[in-house]
């Protein structure tokens, strides 16, 4: 049912509306809950291509998605990346690992 979370997203784009970082974070979180770590990474790449800056909550959801799928190296890579961007990990970020 995680695909249902993407339906309003597709509708937004169809109507010419631009998704925000909140939109993307919600979608990444839905993918994380559904074990769809690869789709979460796709959405993460897409938001950056659109010029949006990921927030700590975005990274936390993505790190959690990777961790749940056993993608530890990618999760640790994302943790390093967020710190290089000047973001400070939170307890939520660390608990995602």
């Amino acid at each position: 049912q995680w695909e249902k979370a993407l339906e309003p997203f597709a509708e937004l784009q169809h109507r010419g509306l631009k998704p925000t970082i909140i939109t993307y974070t919600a979608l990444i979180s839905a993918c994380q809950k559904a074990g769809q770590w690869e789709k979460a990474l796709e959405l993460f790449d897409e938001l950056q291509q659109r010029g949006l800056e990921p927030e700590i909550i975005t990274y936390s959801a993505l790190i959690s998605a990777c961790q749940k799928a056993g993608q530890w190296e990618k999760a640790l890579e994302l943790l390093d990346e967020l710190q290089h961007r000047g973001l400070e990990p939170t307890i939520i970020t660390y608990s995602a690992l």
Side-chain angles (χ1 to χ4, degrees):
Q1 291 195 352
W2 66 273
E3 293 99 340
K4 289 191 182 230
L6 299 178
E7 290 174 8
F9 179 68
E11 184 64 25
L12 274 175
Q13 293 180 312
H14 178 72
R15 292 181 183 215
L17 300 173
K18 294 183 180 182
T20 66
I21 190 63
I22 295 169
T23 309
Y24 277 104
T25 300
L27 291 170
I28 290 169
S29 182
C31 291
Q32 174 265 325
K33 287 177 177 73
Q36 298 295 318
W37 70 277
E38 291 172 315
K39 183 63 179 177
L41 283 172
E42 280 179 38
L43 290 165
F44 187 76
D45 289 341
E46 184 179 316
L47 76 87
Q48 292 179 93
Q49 289 171 4
R50 289 179 175 262
L52 297 171
E53 289 292 323
E55 298 175 347
I56 191 64
I57 192 78
T58 312
Y59 272 104
S60 296
L62 188 57
I63 288 169
S64 182
C66 291
Q67 178 274 329
K68 284 185 176 185
Q71 302 296 317
W72 291 98
E73 288 180 15
K74 186 63 179 175
L76 292 172
E77 179 184 313
L78 289 163
L79 178 63
D80 187 55
E81 179 183 315
L82 76 87
Q83 291 173 316
H84 277 80
R85 287 182 176 233
L87 296 172
E88 196 65 37
T90 65
I91 190 72
I92 294 169
T93 311
Y94 286 121
S95 67
L97 294 170

